[in-house]
Amino acid sequence: MEKPSWAQAHRSVAERLIARRDDKEGLVDSLSWALEACCMQFPIVEAGEALDALDPFTFMAAWCRPMPEARKERLFLLVCEALELEVAETPSFYDCPEVEDYQARMFSHRDKTMGEEIERLWDLFAAAMGLSTGDAEDADGRDALVRAFIHAYDAVARSKIPARTHLATLLCWIDPVRFAPLETTPSTGTAYLEALARGATPALPQRRA
């Protein structure tokens, strides 16, 4: 029997992360616990750094990076346990786009700007969730969601994510149907949404051997 896709499992995690946005230090502790329980080091902390906040994309990148499938699945289950999320069946991650960097940190190490960068990433995550759920009841509401997404996307794009990571890859983790993976990341939110509307998306990667 095939395992369920990672997409629905990611949705549950994304909703929990949004609910805990104001508990950033607690999210750091949850991820640290899961990594330690999986006998893995916290990959995004530099020597001597006391990290007390992180963004949701960096959180999800902990398992969306190169590692054996079995370890990825175990880490994800431990993360769900730390977040108090029930998982009926372990999902498969074989077609989940990965970041290239092992460190997989989406914000810089500059103390003066780190907090602002983390907040911009949270804003984009929340705006993408809004577009994905499509809760607006009328055209004006939908337009407002689009404008909020474009504004948040542009703010993150200007900050230049330090990892060798396409912003489009991160958005795909939230909803691979609404935010299908792109080969490159457009420089603006408007161009990104236009690329999605044109269907300029490659197929998801084939299962790795």
Side-chain angles (χ1 to χ4, degrees):
M1 181 181 297
E2 292 187 1
K3 295 180 179 180
S5 169
W6 54 272
Q8 185 56 49
H10 269 203
R11 166 66 63 170
S12 297
V13 170
E15 291 172 350
R16 183 58 55 90
L17 291 176
I18 285 291
R20 292 184 58 180
R21 176 172 181 171
D22 293 332
D23 183 26
K24 296 182 181 64
E25 188 170 358
L27 290 176
V28 172
D29 292 340
S30 294
L31 184 56
S32 297
W33 176 85
L35 287 163
E36 184 176 351
C38 202
C39 299
M40 299 173 66
Q41 294 182 340
F42 207 115
I44 67 170
V45 178
E46 290 199 336
E49 182 181 35
L51 190 67
D52 60 3
L54 78 167
D55 67 275
F57 295 113
T58 297
F59 190 99
M60 298 178 81
W63 64 86
C64 296
R65 56 194 171 98
M67 69 177 69
E69 184 82 0
R71 173 165 284 198
K72 183 176 296 190
E73 292 176 0
R74 172 165 168 71
L75 175 57
F76 179 79
L77 291 178
L78 288 166
V79 166
C80 289
E81 181 179 344
L83 295 176
E84 299 181 345
L85 279 174
E86 293 186 7
V87 179
E89 188 176 355
T90 307
S92 169
F93 292 94
Y94 79 86
D95 61 353
C96 180
E98 298 176 337
V99 294
E100 295 182 22
D101 283 353
Y102 175 78
Q103 190 180 47
R105 174 168 171 156
M106 308 309 156
F107 51 92
S108 71
H109 298 280
R110 299 185 298 273
D111 291 339
K112 292 183 179 180
T113 61
M114 182 189 303
E116 295 176 358
E117 291 174 11
I118 289 173
E119 286 303 319
R120 285 195 289 266
L121 288 160
W122 274 104
D123 289 344
L124 177 59
F125 193 86
M129 287 287 287
L131 269 188
S132 177
T133 55
D135 291 336
E137 297 181 354
D138 53 34
D140 289 341
R142 288 191 293 273
D143 288 345
L145 289 175
V146 170
R147 288 195 301 272
F149 176 84
I150 291 173
H151 177 77
Y153 183 104
D154 291 351
V156 170
R158 287 193 298 269
S159 66
K160 296 182 180 180
I161 296 174
R164 292 178 299 165
T165 301
H166 291 310
L167 189 52
T169 297
L170 311 185
L171 292 167
C172 178
W173 296 340
I174 296 175
D175 184 343
V177 175
R178 179 65 180 85
F179 303 114
L182 300 174
E183 293 179 343
T184 59
T185 296
S187 59
T188 68
T190 299
Y192 172 77
L193 293 179
E194 288 175 349
L196 291 179
R198 292 195 305 270
T201 58
L204 285 171
Q206 298 297 311
R207 182 165 188 161
R208 296 185 295 272

